[in-house]
Amino acid sequence: MKQGRRFAGVLLAVCMMAAVTGGCGAKDEVSAVIADGKSSETMAAAAGADGAGSEGGRPGAETYFHTEAAAVPDSMGSEGGRTGAEVFSYAEAEAADRSPGENAACLPTVRQETQPQSGTLTAGEWKDNADFDYFKDVLNHNDWYSYMETWKLFPTSRYAVQVTNENQEAAKNQRVDLIDGQRIIGSAVTDSEGMAYVYYNLDHGNREADRIRVGTEEYVIEEKDKNGTLHLVLDSYKEPEEKTLDLLFMVDTTGSMSDELEFLKLELQDVIRRVTEEYEGIRIRLSVNFYRDREDAYVVRDFPFTEDIDEALSKLRVQYSDGGGDYPEAVDEAFENAVKGHEWSEDSVKLLFFVLDAPPHSDRKGTVDLMGSTLDAAAKSGIRILPVASSGVDTETEYLLRTMAAVSGGTYIFLTDDSGVGNSHLEPTIGDYEVEYLNDLMVRLITWYCK
């Protein structure tokens, strides 16, 4: 983890020096190479030149490894979705989006020299279900245990269940219930590899399951394999001929998001375009939604699922940051709206990208219970939560977002300092990870869940 922080620090320093020739965005003129923690070297590159093996200006090494940094790639002209021409129009926002009482002077200004474009923000991801013992060790640390007590969510008890058909093919999108007597004590839905991570005793209870139900078939709990996984065979399973992807974005648009929102909007537009172009054979339903806090111009601004991608993108383009006031925001109300306030297709792959930089108000009446009940509903319905933690996220928020991701079968995504955009980003409490471009990472994850 220290090597990753060293890389970020050196890159930011190089970006500050590069500001004289075009700011931190002048990646085509300056690149930093750090190997095994040694001192960095800077080198000039011809503007617009391709890296070795690149297509359209991106070098062959697309990923920054957490332990070794690749050369910083060219910032323009990529076929990977960089859209420098898509610059946010404040006039459009003012005309189409400002609610009564909102001051035009509050419209954001981008503080970086970098012109907003997709393929700029960098991020990592961590799947706690892939290393559950590590997650439990972190949760049982004194500080993290206090977070569990605050939010009344104790994700320390779990069954990993793999469901296949008689041909050992993954049984996808199947609900798995843990049963204690006549009571369901935990539910999850299988992913693209037939895996379901079923959490129980989230309220710190002491219930024990005696059997597992998949659809209408029940199984006695037998011995786990060496990886702690239960294997079940569902004879009646056949993969549907037609797939549907329900893709929902819930984005924090409070004032604290102003340092990254314009970049995030372009990254999300790029992700949506790439997914719709790649998955011509899959029915894609999109919903793009926004939230702030009570006393702001709106709490949640929501839009139903639509197959009109251009219409959904038009809603995204005109949003801007404002309001908020204090650190916590109306995360609980936005979460409930996303999970319970939209008509998710029953048999779809359900992905909820939650873009935010602050926690909910733990001191508001009903917030803690609402977060728990909504997470339970998401797990039962197979709505996978993929938080995108932006600058400003603290450790308690990291705990909450990782819990939401793990219990729903999602993964935790976090922005990093490597792009030089935005305020400082929290280094998460995890093991080694790779730094990628955010848009590439999100497309990769969508592809995995849809395979």
Side-chain angles (χ1 to χ4, degrees):
M1 288 176 11
K2 290 182 180 178
Q3 287 177 318
R5 281 195 291 268
R6 262 201 306 273
F7 167 63
V10 173
L11 179 58
L12 289 174
V14 172
C15 283
M16 290 174 66
M17 292 188 293
V20 215
T21 59
C24 203
K27 295 180 183 175
D28 53 337
E29 299 183 1
V30 181
S31 63
V33 179
I34 296 87
D36 301 324
K38 297 178 183 178
S39 60
S40 65
E41 297 178 356
T42 58
M43 53 189 174
D50 287 359
S54 70
E55 293 184 10
R58 275 194 180 176
E62 294 268 353
T63 303
Y64 296 126
F65 287 90
H66 190 59
T67 54
E68 182 175 354
V72 179
D74 180 14
S75 62
M76 297 296 290
S78 165
E79 291 182 1
R82 297 195 172 198
T83 51
E86 293 182 315
V87 180
F88 178 73
S89 167
Y90 295 112
E92 184 181 12
E94 185 174 358
D97 185 62
R98 193 168 74 250
S99 301
E102 289 189 286
N103 192 335
C106 293
L107 291 173
T109 56
V110 178
R111 293 180 298 177
Q112 295 79 12
E113 292 292 333
T114 310
Q115 178 176 315
Q117 57 187 355
S118 61
T120 300
L121 296 181
T122 53
E125 61 118 349
W126 184 260
K127 189 174 183 179
D128 282 300
N129 282 315
D131 195 344
F132 187 56
D133 287 338
Y134 180 91
F135 190 34
K136 288 193 294 184
D137 287 343
V138 173
L139 290 168
N140 286 318
H141 185 274
N142 287 342
D143 289 343
W144 286 66
Y145 194 86
S146 69
Y147 304 149
M148 290 194 290
E149 291 182 317
T150 296
W151 291 102
K152 298 180 183 177
L153 290 171
F154 297 80
T156 54
S157 301
R158 184 206 75 174
Y159 277 91
V161 182
Q162 184 166 42
V163 185
T164 61
N165 64 10
E166 55 188 2
N167 298 320
Q168 295 300 301
E169 298 168 329
K172 306 171 185 177
N173 214 24
Q174 301 298 300
R175 176 165 159 173
V176 179
D177 295 321
L178 284 182
I179 302 174
D180 176 15
Q182 299 301 313
R183 180 181 180 185
I184 296 175
I185 62 173
S187 300
V189 173
T190 57
D191 60 24
S192 63
E193 295 185 345
M195 290 296 303
Y197 301 99
V198 193
Y199 284 77
Y200 62 103
N201 291 334
L202 277 172
D203 60 355
H204 212 207
N206 58 358
R207 295 174 292 274
E208 288 293 338
D210 52 46
R211 64 193 190 280
I212 296 178
R213 183 167 62 211
V214 183
T216 58
E217 298 185 29
E218 291 194 359
Y219 307 79
V220 175
I221 295 179
E222 298 179 351
E223 187 177 349
K224 304 174 185 177
D225 68 12
K226 63 180 181 180
N227 297 317
T229 302
L230 290 170
H231 295 272
L232 305 178
V233 176
L234 188 64
D235 296 332
S236 60
Y237 173 77
K238 290 183 179 180
E239 187 168 349
E241 294 183 4
E242 184 181 35
K243 285 187 178 181
T244 299
L245 168 63
D246 281 352
L247 188 58
L248 188 146
F249 294 87
M250 182 62 76
V251 185
D252 180 348
T253 54
T254 57
S256 61
M257 290 289 291
S258 63
D259 61 324
E260 291 170 325
L261 183 59
E262 300 311 314
F263 291 86
L264 281 164
K265 285 161 50 180
L266 293 174
E267 303 288 12
L268 299 186
Q269 289 181 62
D270 178 56
V271 168
I272 293 165
R273 285 204 178 96
R274 289 166 62 181
V275 168
T276 53
E277 289 171 2
E278 183 172 344
Y279 290 102
E280 294 181 357
I282 295 182
R283 180 187 179 210
I284 298 177
R285 302 169 69 240
L286 177 64
S287 175
V288 185
N289 309 272
F290 314 92
Y291 75 96
R292 291 180 180 170
D293 205 354
R294 298 178 187 176
E295 310 303 327
D296 290 334
Y298 58 86
V299 178
V300 179
R301 177 173 286 168
D302 60 334
F303 299 94
F305 281 108
T306 178
E307 294 183 55
D308 188 337
I309 305 303
D310 289 336
E311 177 189 356
L313 288 175
S314 70
K315 303 289 194 304
L316 175 61
R317 291 190 191 99
V318 298
Q319 303 305 315
Y320 59 90
S321 58
D322 193 19
D326 54 2
Y327 180 49
E329 313 296 0
V331 177
D332 55 324
E333 295 171 74
F335 187 28
E336 181 188 38
N337 177 274
V339 171
K340 302 177 183 179
H342 287 76
E343 295 184 3
W344 297 84
S345 300
E346 183 177 353
D347 296 323
S348 64
V349 175
K350 304 173 182 66
L351 302 180
L352 164 54
F353 285 93
F354 210 142
V355 185
L356 72 170
D357 68 351
H361 292 265
S362 61
D363 56 345
R364 280 183 182 168
K365 184 178 179 180
T367 294
V368 171
D369 290 341
L370 184 58
M371 290 297 295
S373 64
T374 304
L375 179 55
D376 180 65
K380 286 180 179 177
S381 302
I383 300 171
R384 307 189 190 280
I385 303 160
L386 297 94
V388 181
S390 305
S391 64
V393 162
D394 62 7
T395 307
E396 183 174 357
T397 310
E398 179 194 343
Y399 147 77
L400 188 58
L401 298 181
R402 285 172 65 176
T403 297
M404 292 164 64
V407 172
S408 67
T411 189
Y412 178 62
I413 305 168
F414 49 93
L415 299 186
T416 72
D417 288 343
D418 302 85
S419 67
V421 173
N423 298 322
S424 179
H425 301 85
L426 176 73
E427 184 75 12
T429 309
I430 59 176
D432 289 339
Y433 62 92
E434 297 175 1
V435 178
E436 306 172 59
Y437 288 107
L438 175 64
N439 55 347
D440 292 344
L441 188 157
M442 294 175 76
V443 170
R444 175 173 63 78
L445 290 174
I446 294 170
T447 300
W448 187 88
Y449 281 107
C450 287
K451 72 178 182 178

